[in-house]
Amino acid sequence: MPTSQAHNAASAPSHNQLDTKAQAWSALFSEPMSDLVKRYTSSVFFDKRLWQADIAGSLAHAEMLAAQGIIGADDHASIQRGMAQITSEIESGAFEWKLDLEDVHLNIEARLTQLVGDAGKRLHTGRSRNDQVATDVRLWLRGEIDLIADLLKELQVALVDVAAQNVDVILPGFTHLQVAQPVSFGHHMLAYVEMFARDAERMADVRRRVNVLPLGSAALAGTTYPLDRERVARTLGMVDASGHPVVCQNSLDAVSDRDFAIEFTAAASLCMVHVSRLSEELIIWMSQNFGFIKIADRFTTGSSIMPQKKNPDVPELARGKTGRVVGHLMGLITLMKGQPLAYNKDNQEDKEPLFDTVDTLKDTLRIFAEMVGGQLNPATGQKEGGITVNAPAMEQAALKGYATATDLADYLVKKGLPFRDAHETVAHAVKAATTHACDLSELPLAVLQGFHPQIEKDVYEALSLRGSLNARNTLGGTAPAQVRAQIARHQARLAA
Ligand code: ARG
């Protein structure tokens, strides 16, 4: 690696104080940092991913400094020119990131000064890395939340598609993982749509508190320059629904607040918890004992020893990665515990958990949308390779475990029995069916009438899976008519 001095001599128009970190602060420091301390305190190898936000924030700040007459128009133009070059250097991979320069902010500022001289040194007027980093993280996270919103929508669309194809497919609904009542598989899928819809709402809500401008708070107390913070907010799109700029109102809070990162990670954790619940069901449903569904081979792996195996690695890993994201939430919330105002270096530790949360959530949502709904085949315009549903296996399972026992009780209630008495009567019927090793619907009418004389032939409709489903025709119930209405509602909502 060329030394920074040599680099400087070759390309710098003026002396650059930021060439090494020991020089970055001031003449106050009498000894250089050890390599271990440099490595321990630097963040550039992970926070360089904030570079676009860092440059956007700097350009907005410089534009405002010029508009306020704090720097000259020529300096502003030089800063713009330098940042354009830095952008292309980073994009092409030519930019040399230096551990010595600690973080993304100092790396970019140092290069700017190398390129444009004194104008580069004027950029930091009325600014501190404390309000700079808080701004960068917020800008970056805002963009990621927008990508996550799209992915959450894709996953919901995939689930609604599967629901629409399977409204009339019946599987046993469980409570305590014991057969409870028959439900529509479409209805079951829509339960997850509700969860992911709430996740999308939570993300949108978090976004409102992410999209607030700390810049202009400087190190902690505000600044002596006549900054126009609202102008910067407007430039960066930090505006509310009616287009008004939104700016942090207390400089101490502005530089130290990481609530937005915690809130985001909490929303991400809950979303991963929903993914883990879906994963668990997919894993159970594709086990040989259930055989309800298949997922495409590309989401599974074989075993190195058991040739017959197809393991649901993707849902299993998603279930596992939920722990990692929840761990990041614990990490971030503990990071903030007991921190005195204002900025503390502790906050540099916010980045890796936040970045990993974003990466994990995005990958997981993307892969689940494809695993559930399939991939678009451009030739046919159809989605292919989503989950395959084994409707007969589901229905067969729903016929076990007396899933329609409640329907028999409801039938008797309609004949005038108090519900508690009906419940008791049906318990006797179930006991008899168990003895005969058959379903309630397979007991002869005479046997059923032995439990209650008012039982008539129409009881068999109530005891059928389809009769049971159709009877649950209340809002949010599993009757196919209700499920179709919900599908239409979701489709309209997701198309908007
Ligand atoms: N790299 C630092 C961070 O991530 C930037 C802010 C540093 N500010 C300071 N006064 N040391 O938080």
Side-chain angles (χ1 to χ4, degrees):
M1 224 169 74
T3 67
S4 41
Q5 286 303 328
H7 200 104
N8 199 19
S11 59
S14 76
H15 174 67
N16 186 352
Q17 288 175 321
L18 289 177
D19 270 355
T20 68
K21 210 174 112 177
Q23 295 168 324
W25 322 133
S26 69
L28 202 64
F29 291 77
S30 59
E31 59 172 8
M33 262 185 188
S34 76
D35 284 347
L36 177 59
V37 174
K38 258 187 221 164
R39 189 158 55 71
Y40 195 75
T41 55
S42 79
S43 54
V44 63
F45 289 110
F46 50 84
D47 69 16
K48 66 181 173 190
R49 85 150 84 181
L50 297 173
W51 71 269
Q52 273 168 314
D54 194 68
I55 290 177
S58 288
L59 287 174
H61 180 67
E63 192 271 341
M64 178 275 294
L65 291 178
Q68 297 293 98
I70 301 167
I71 63 171
D74 49 340
D75 284 332
H76 179 213
S78 300
I79 290 169
Q80 285 178 310
R81 178 169 51 80
M83 287 302 195
Q85 166 145 0
I86 291 171
T87 300
S88 60
E89 286 177 2
I90 297 175
E91 281 173 347
S92 72
F95 191 89
E96 198 194 328
W97 297 101
K98 294 180 188 152
L99 184 78
D100 264 6
L101 289 169
E102 188 174 301
D103 58 23
V104 61
H105 324 292
L106 292 179
N107 268 269
I108 290 176
E109 193 188 332
R111 179 67 181 141
L112 181 71
T113 300
Q114 261 184 350
L115 290 170
V116 304
D118 283 353
K121 296 187 201 168
R122 294 204 171 96
L123 172 62
H124 213 51
T125 312
R127 186 176 77 166
S128 151
R129 276 188 303 153
N130 299 350
D131 57 344
Q132 186 179 358
V133 68
T135 303
D136 289 6
V137 177
R138 284 169 181 268
L139 283 176
W140 172 83
L141 186 58
R142 181 182 72 185
E144 295 297 327
I145 288 175
D146 291 342
L147 297 175
I148 288 165
D150 290 343
L151 292 170
L152 275 168
K153 192 176 242 194
E154 273 174 45
L155 177 55
Q156 290 180 75
V157 167
L159 288 161
V160 171
D161 285 350
V162 174
Q165 289 153 20
N166 294 283
V167 175
D168 298 304
V169 172
I170 300 178
L171 81 165
F174 295 93
T175 60
H176 314 269
L177 208 58
Q178 306 283 312
V179 171
Q181 291 171 354
V183 294
S184 147
F185 186 57
H187 193 54
H188 200 116
M189 289 290 99
L190 293 187
Y192 286 100
V193 176
E194 294 289 335
M195 295 181 220
F196 293 120
R198 288 195 296 273
D199 290 327
E201 271 180 33
R202 260 184 291 274
M203 285 294 171
D205 188 49
V206 170
R207 190 190 190 281
R208 284 194 301 118
R209 281 179 296 280
V210 169
N211 201 27
V212 182
L213 183 80
L215 213 58
S217 303
L220 76 165
T223 178
T224 56
Y225 303 94
L227 303 189
D228 182 350
R229 298 185 61 209
E230 295 192 334
R231 183 184 183 108
V232 177
R234 245 181 257 111
T235 308
L236 293 173
M238 288 177 148
V239 293
D240 64 18
S242 38
H244 297 118
V246 194
V247 168
C248 298
Q249 299 290 313
N250 179 293
S251 59
L252 296 164
D253 180 51
V255 293
S256 61
D257 170 39
R258 295 295 182 274
D259 289 2
F260 67 90
I262 295 172
E263 278 189 65
F264 168 79
T265 311
S269 295
L270 199 41
C271 183
M272 286 299 292
V273 165
H274 297 149
V275 169
S276 79
R277 295 182 67 185
L278 177 56
S279 298
E280 176 67 5
E281 300 220 75
L282 295 174
I283 293 164
I284 291 176
W285 290 341
M286 64 187 283
S287 76
Q288 285 75 4
N289 307 60
F290 277 72
F292 286 4
I293 61 153
K294 283 201 174 101
I295 59 175
D297 280 358
R298 63 184 185 284
F299 301 106
T300 66
T301 60
S303 153
S304 55
I305 174 168
M306 296 167 283
Q308 86 283 14
K309 294 273 278 188
K310 245 183 219 173
N311 296 326
D313 284 29
V314 166
E316 288 176 286
L317 269 174
R319 197 173 54 182
K321 284 175 191 287
T322 303
R324 151 177 184 160
V325 172
V326 173
H328 293 325
L329 171 61
M330 293 307 114
L332 283 173
I333 204 160
T334 312
L335 174 71
M336 293 312 295
K337 180 190 173 295
Q339 266 198 52
L341 289 172
Y343 176 86
N344 300 285
K345 185 76 169 184
D346 311 40
N347 287 357
Q348 183 163 291
E349 287 290 310
D350 64 354
K351 292 179 194 59
E352 286 160 294
L354 193 58
F355 294 167
D356 189 67
T357 297
V358 164
D359 293 344
T360 306
L361 183 61
K362 275 167 50 187
D363 284 350
T364 303
L365 292 174
R366 195 171 287 135
I367 208 164
F368 265 65
E370 198 195 311
M371 189 171 64
V372 169
Q375 230 175 357
L376 195 70
N377 178 343
T380 61
Q382 299 287 316
K383 279 198 194 167
E384 289 169 9
I387 61 172
T388 319
V389 173
N390 184 345
M394 288 188 181
E395 199 150 312
Q396 211 44 51
L399 289 169
K400 288 183 210 153
Y402 308 104
T404 57
T406 318
D407 296 274
L408 181 55
D410 290 344
Y411 176 90
L412 291 169
V413 167
K414 280 171 198 147
K415 300 275 179 180
L417 252 74
F419 181 77
R420 281 294 161 219
D421 293 342
H423 185 275
E424 185 59 18
T425 304
V426 175
H428 289 293
V430 168
K431 210 168 166 186
T434 316
T435 318
H436 290 90
C438 69
D439 184 52
L440 284 174
S441 63
E442 290 165 335
L443 290 173
L445 187 58
V447 174
L448 285 169
Q449 283 170 335
F451 298 111
H452 203 276
Q454 271 177 289
I455 294 180
E456 289 163 73
K457 238 176 84 199
D458 62 351
V459 73
Y460 290 109
E461 167 61 13
L463 287 177
S464 74
L465 294 181
R466 258 154 249 288
S468 170
L469 243 66
N470 287 331
R472 286 179 171 68
N473 199 14
T474 39
L475 182 93
T478 193
Q482 294 295 335
V483 178
R484 280 186 233 283
Q486 293 293 334
I487 287 170
R489 180 177 69 81
H490 287 303
Q491 282 170 339
R493 177 176 69 77
L494 292 165

mmCIF file of all heavy atoms in Angstrom, residues 303-330:
data_model
loop_
_atom_site.group_PDB
_atom_site.id
_atom_site.type_symbol
_atom_site.label_atom_id
_atom_site.label_comp_id
_atom_site.label_asym_id
_atom_site.label_seq_id
_atom_site.Cartn_x
_atom_site.Cartn_y
_atom_site.Cartn_z
ATOM 1 N N SER A 303 -29.256 -35.319 2.078
ATOM 2 C CA SER A 303 -28.427 -35.709 3.205
ATOM 3 C C SER A 303 -27.202 -36.428 2.662
ATOM 4 O O SER A 303 -27.274 -37.103 1.637
ATOM 5 C CB SER A 303 -29.215 -36.635 4.124
ATOM 6 O OG SER A 303 -28.338 -37.486 4.837
ATOM 7 N N SER A 304 -26.073 -36.271 3.347
ATOM 8 C CA SER A 304 -24.853 -36.917 2.868
ATOM 9 C C SER A 304 -24.871 -38.410 3.180
ATOM 10 O O SER A 304 -24.095 -39.172 2.628
ATOM 11 C CB SER A 304 -23.637 -36.256 3.500
ATOM 12 O OG SER A 304 -23.782 -36.284 4.899
ATOM 13 N N ILE A 305 -25.756 -38.836 4.054
ATOM 14 C CA ILE A 305 -25.773 -40.262 4.398
ATOM 15 C C ILE A 305 -27.083 -40.945 4.039
ATOM 16 O O ILE A 305 -27.102 -42.092 3.594
ATOM 17 C CB ILE A 305 -25.417 -40.464 5.896
ATOM 18 C CG1 ILE A 305 -25.585 -41.930 6.299
ATOM 19 C CG2 ILE A 305 -26.263 -39.604 6.810
ATOM 20 C CD1 ILE A 305 -25.001 -42.274 7.638
ATOM 21 N N MET A 306 -28.212 -40.220 4.157
ATOM 22 C CA MET A 306 -29.504 -40.876 3.920
ATOM 23 C C MET A 306 -30.028 -40.471 2.544
ATOM 24 O O MET A 306 -30.500 -39.357 2.346
ATOM 25 C CB MET A 306 -30.496 -40.463 5.017
ATOM 26 C CG MET A 306 -30.062 -40.934 6.392
ATOM 27 S SD MET A 306 -31.012 -40.144 7.701
ATOM 28 C CE MET A 306 -30.247 -38.538 7.764
ATOM 29 N N PRO A 307 -29.932 -41.378 1.571
ATOM 30 C CA PRO A 307 -30.219 -41.008 0.182
ATOM 31 C C PRO A 307 -31.662 -40.571 -0.054
ATOM 32 O O PRO A 307 -31.947 -39.911 -1.047
ATOM 33 C CB PRO A 307 -29.908 -42.288 -0.605
ATOM 34 C CG PRO A 307 -29.479 -43.314 0.365
ATOM 35 C CD PRO A 307 -29.535 -42.784 1.737
ATOM 36 N N GLN A 308 -32.573 -40.937 0.807
ATOM 37 C CA GLN A 308 -33.990 -40.632 0.560
ATOM 38 C C GLN A 308 -34.389 -39.231 0.995
ATOM 39 O O GLN A 308 -35.495 -38.785 0.736
ATOM 40 C CB GLN A 308 -34.866 -41.677 1.292
ATOM 41 C CG GLN A 308 -35.194 -41.391 2.761
ATOM 42 C CD GLN A 308 -34.055 -41.664 3.748
ATOM 43 O OE1 GLN A 308 -32.906 -41.841 3.372
ATOM 44 N NE2 GLN A 308 -34.375 -41.664 5.033
ATOM 45 N N LYS A 309 -33.439 -38.496 1.652
ATOM 46 C CA LYS A 309 -33.847 -37.270 2.339
ATOM 47 C C LYS A 309 -33.938 -36.054 1.432
ATOM 48 O O LYS A 309 -33.154 -35.858 0.513
ATOM 49 C CB LYS A 309 -32.842 -36.948 3.441
ATOM 50 C CG LYS A 309 -32.834 -37.974 4.549
ATOM 51 C CD LYS A 309 -33.853 -37.675 5.594
ATOM 52 C CE LYS A 309 -33.278 -36.646 6.552
ATOM 53 N NZ LYS A 309 -34.148 -36.447 7.688
ATOM 54 N N LYS A 310 -34.932 -35.227 1.747
ATOM 55 C CA LYS A 310 -35.037 -33.877 1.195
ATOM 56 C C LYS A 310 -35.350 -32.973 2.374
ATOM 57 O O LYS A 310 -36.461 -33.006 2.899
ATOM 58 C CB LYS A 310 -36.179 -33.817 0.177
ATOM 59 C CG LYS A 310 -35.739 -33.547 -1.223
ATOM 60 C CD LYS A 310 -36.945 -33.440 -2.126
ATOM 61 C CE LYS A 310 -36.651 -34.113 -3.454
ATOM 62 N NZ LYS A 310 -37.848 -34.182 -4.291
ATOM 63 N N ASN A 311 -34.384 -32.228 2.786
ATOM 64 C CA ASN A 311 -34.568 -31.460 4.019
ATOM 65 C C ASN A 311 -34.985 -30.018 3.732
ATOM 66 O O ASN A 311 -34.466 -29.399 2.814
ATOM 67 C CB ASN A 311 -33.272 -31.474 4.835
ATOM 68 C CG ASN A 311 -32.910 -32.878 5.286
ATOM 69 O OD1 ASN A 311 -33.796 -33.687 5.559
ATOM 70 N ND2 ASN A 311 -31.627 -33.183 5.327
ATOM 71 N N PRO A 312 -35.904 -29.509 4.552
ATOM 72 C CA PRO A 312 -36.414 -28.144 4.320
ATOM 73 C C PRO A 312 -35.457 -27.083 4.859
ATOM 74 O O PRO A 312 -35.801 -26.314 5.760
ATOM 75 C CB PRO A 312 -37.744 -28.144 5.084
ATOM 76 C CG PRO A 312 -37.554 -29.143 6.177
ATOM 77 C CD PRO A 312 -36.593 -30.187 5.673
ATOM 78 N N ASP A 313 -34.269 -27.040 4.292
ATOM 79 C CA ASP A 313 -33.226 -26.158 4.844
ATOM 80 C C ASP A 313 -33.621 -24.685 4.912
ATOM 81 O O ASP A 313 -33.290 -23.991 5.865
ATOM 82 C CB ASP A 313 -31.942 -26.262 4.004
ATOM 83 C CG ASP A 313 -31.193 -27.539 4.283
ATOM 84 O OD1 ASP A 313 -31.856 -28.541 4.634
ATOM 85 O OD2 ASP A 313 -29.954 -27.540 4.153
ATOM 86 N N VAL A 314 -34.306 -24.222 3.877
ATOM 87 C CA VAL A 314 -34.610 -22.780 3.849
ATOM 88 C C VAL A 314 -35.548 -22.392 5.000
ATOM 89 O O VAL A 314 -35.226 -21.483 5.770
ATOM 90 C CB VAL A 314 -35.125 -22.341 2.460
ATOM 91 C CG1 VAL A 314 -35.745 -20.953 2.520
ATOM 92 C CG2 VAL A 314 -33.977 -22.367 1.459
ATOM 93 N N PRO A 315 -36.684 -23.076 5.158
ATOM 94 C CA PRO A 315 -37.510 -22.720 6.325
ATOM 95 C C PRO A 315 -36.795 -22.954 7.662
ATOM 96 O O PRO A 315 -36.974 -22.168 8.602
ATOM 97 C CB PRO A 315 -38.736 -23.630 6.217
ATOM 98 C CG PRO A 315 -38.701 -24.258 4.886
ATOM 99 C CD PRO A 315 -37.374 -24.036 4.259
ATOM 100 N N GLU A 316 -35.976 -23.977 7.726
ATOM 101 C CA GLU A 316 -35.265 -24.219 8.990
ATOM 102 C C GLU A 316 -34.287 -23.083 9.298
ATOM 103 O O GLU A 316 -34.198 -22.603 10.425
ATOM 104 C CB GLU A 316 -34.488 -25.545 8.922
ATOM 105 C CG GLU A 316 -35.369 -26.765 8.972
ATOM 106 C CD GLU A 316 -34.540 -28.036 8.806
ATOM 107 O OE1 GLU A 316 -34.100 -28.324 7.671
ATOM 108 O OE2 GLU A 316 -34.302 -28.705 9.813
ATOM 109 N N LEU A 317 -33.565 -22.661 8.258
ATOM 110 C CA LEU A 317 -32.610 -21.566 8.476
ATOM 111 C C LEU A 317 -33.329 -20.266 8.841
ATOM 112 O O LEU A 317 -32.867 -19.512 9.697
ATOM 113 C CB LEU A 317 -31.775 -21.343 7.215
ATOM 114 C CG LEU A 317 -30.484 -22.142 7.151
ATOM 115 C CD1 LEU A 317 -29.831 -21.955 5.790
ATOM 116 C CD2 LEU A 317 -29.512 -21.702 8.245
ATOM 117 N N ALA A 318 -34.452 -20.033 8.193
ATOM 118 C CA ALA A 318 -35.216 -18.807 8.507
ATOM 119 C C ALA A 318 -35.648 -18.841 9.968
ATOM 120 O O ALA A 318 -35.580 -17.833 10.675
ATOM 121 C CB ALA A 318 -36.428 -18.699 7.584
ATOM 122 N N ARG A 319 -36.074 -20.010 10.415
ATOM 123 C CA ARG A 319 -36.457 -20.173 11.823
ATOM 124 C C ARG A 319 -35.248 -19.864 12.702
ATOM 125 O O ARG A 319 -35.352 -19.176 13.708
ATOM 126 C CB ARG A 319 -36.944 -21.610 12.018
ATOM 127 C CG ARG A 319 -37.729 -21.879 13.253
ATOM 128 C CD ARG A 319 -38.294 -23.305 13.244
ATOM 129 N NE ARG A 319 -37.254 -24.322 13.021
ATOM 130 C CZ ARG A 319 -37.481 -25.632 12.929
ATOM 131 N NH1 ARG A 319 -38.725 -26.088 13.030
ATOM 132 N NH2 ARG A 319 -36.505 -26.485 12.720
ATOM 133 N N GLY A 320 -34.097 -20.364 12.296
ATOM 134 C CA GLY A 320 -32.874 -20.124 13.067
ATOM 135 C C GLY A 320 -32.433 -18.664 13.029
ATOM 136 O O GLY A 320 -32.019 -18.104 14.043
ATOM 137 N N LYS A 321 -32.539 -18.056 11.865
ATOM 138 C CA LYS A 321 -32.084 -16.659 11.736
ATOM 139 C C LYS A 321 -32.971 -15.705 12.535
ATOM 140 O O LYS A 321 -32.574 -14.571 12.811
ATOM 141 C CB LYS A 321 -32.049 -16.251 10.258
ATOM 142 C CG LYS A 321 -30.859 -16.821 9.495
ATOM 143 C CD LYS A 321 -30.953 -16.484 8.008
ATOM 144 C CE LYS A 321 -29.932 -17.250 7.178
ATOM 145 N NZ LYS A 321 -28.550 -16.766 7.348
ATOM 146 N N THR A 322 -34.158 -16.141 12.876
ATOM 147 C CA THR A 322 -35.019 -15.321 13.728
ATOM 148 C C THR A 322 -34.311 -15.042 15.055
ATOM 149 O O THR A 322 -34.367 -13.919 15.578
ATOM 150 C CB THR A 322 -36.359 -16.051 13.970
ATOM 151 O OG1 THR A 322 -36.940 -16.322 12.706
ATOM 152 C CG2 THR A 322 -37.311 -15.217 14.804
ATOM 153 N N GLY A 323 -33.624 -16.040 15.553
ATOM 154 C CA GLY A 323 -32.882 -15.866 16.800
ATOM 155 C C GLY A 323 -31.804 -14.806 16.672
ATOM 156 O O GLY A 323 -31.572 -14.007 17.578
ATOM 157 N N ARG A 324 -31.194 -14.783 15.519
ATOM 158 C CA ARG A 324 -30.112 -13.828 15.296
ATOM 159 C C ARG A 324 -30.644 -12.390 15.254
ATOM 160 O O ARG A 324 -30.064 -11.475 15.849
ATOM 161 C CB ARG A 324 -29.449 -14.283 14.013
ATOM 162 C CG ARG A 324 -28.802 -13.348 13.174
ATOM 163 C CD ARG A 324 -28.206 -14.201 12.060
ATOM 164 N NE ARG A 324 -27.445 -13.365 11.188
ATOM 165 C CZ ARG A 324 -26.506 -13.806 10.375
ATOM 166 N NH1 ARG A 324 -26.232 -15.098 10.353
ATOM 167 N NH2 ARG A 324 -25.859 -12.991 9.621
ATOM 168 N N VAL A 325 -31.793 -12.200 14.623
ATOM 169 C CA VAL A 325 -32.366 -10.849 14.547
ATOM 170 C C VAL A 325 -32.877 -10.407 15.924
ATOM 171 O O VAL A 325 -32.659 -9.264 16.340
ATOM 172 C CB VAL A 325 -33.473 -10.799 13.464
ATOM 173 C CG1 VAL A 325 -34.216 -9.471 13.513
ATOM 174 C CG2 VAL A 325 -32.858 -11.010 12.083
ATOM 175 N N VAL A 326 -33.539 -11.302 16.624
ATOM 176 C CA VAL A 326 -33.990 -10.962 17.981
ATOM 177 C C VAL A 326 -32.770 -10.639 18.856
ATOM 178 O O VAL A 326 -32.815 -9.733 19.685
ATOM 179 C CB VAL A 326 -34.843 -12.107 18.577
ATOM 180 C CG1 VAL A 326 -35.177 -11.841 20.047
ATOM 181 C CG2 VAL A 326 -36.136 -12.288 17.788
ATOM 182 N N GLY A 327 -31.679 -11.348 18.621
ATOM 183 C CA GLY A 327 -30.429 -11.058 19.332
ATOM 184 C C GLY A 327 -29.937 -9.643 19.054
ATOM 185 O O GLY A 327 -29.484 -8.939 19.961
ATOM 186 N N HIS A 328 -30.061 -9.212 17.802
ATOM 187 C CA HIS A 328 -29.654 -7.838 17.463
ATOM 188 C C HIS A 328 -30.510 -6.811 18.197
ATOM 189 O O HIS A 328 -30.022 -5.761 18.616
ATOM 190 C CB HIS A 328 -29.750 -7.602 15.959
ATOM 191 C CG HIS A 328 -28.768 -8.401 15.154
ATOM 192 N ND1 HIS A 328 -27.496 -8.683 15.617
ATOM 193 C CD2 HIS A 328 -28.853 -8.973 13.924
ATOM 194 C CE1 HIS A 328 -26.860 -9.388 14.696
ATOM 195 N NE2 HIS A 328 -27.650 -9.584 13.677
ATOM 196 N N LEU A 329 -31.784 -7.125 18.344
ATOM 197 C CA LEU A 329 -32.666 -6.216 19.104
ATOM 198 C C LEU A 329 -32.169 -6.102 20.544
ATOM 199 O O LEU A 329 -32.066 -4.998 21.093
ATOM 200 C CB LEU A 329 -34.114 -6.727 19.055
ATOM 201 C CG LEU A 329 -35.107 -6.016 19.967
ATOM 202 C CD1 LEU A 329 -35.227 -4.533 19.619
ATOM 203 C CD2 LEU A 329 -36.485 -6.684 19.878
ATOM 204 N N MET A 330 -31.828 -7.242 21.132
ATOM 205 C CA MET A 330 -31.312 -7.223 22.510
ATOM 206 C C MET A 330 -30.007 -6.433 22.572
ATOM 207 O O MET A 330 -29.776 -5.670 23.504
ATOM 208 C CB MET A 330 -31.086 -8.651 23.021
ATOM 209 C CG MET A 330 -32.351 -9.464 23.213
ATOM 210 S SD MET A 330 -33.555 -8.631 24.251
ATOM 211 C CE MET A 330 -34.858 -8.344 23.083
#
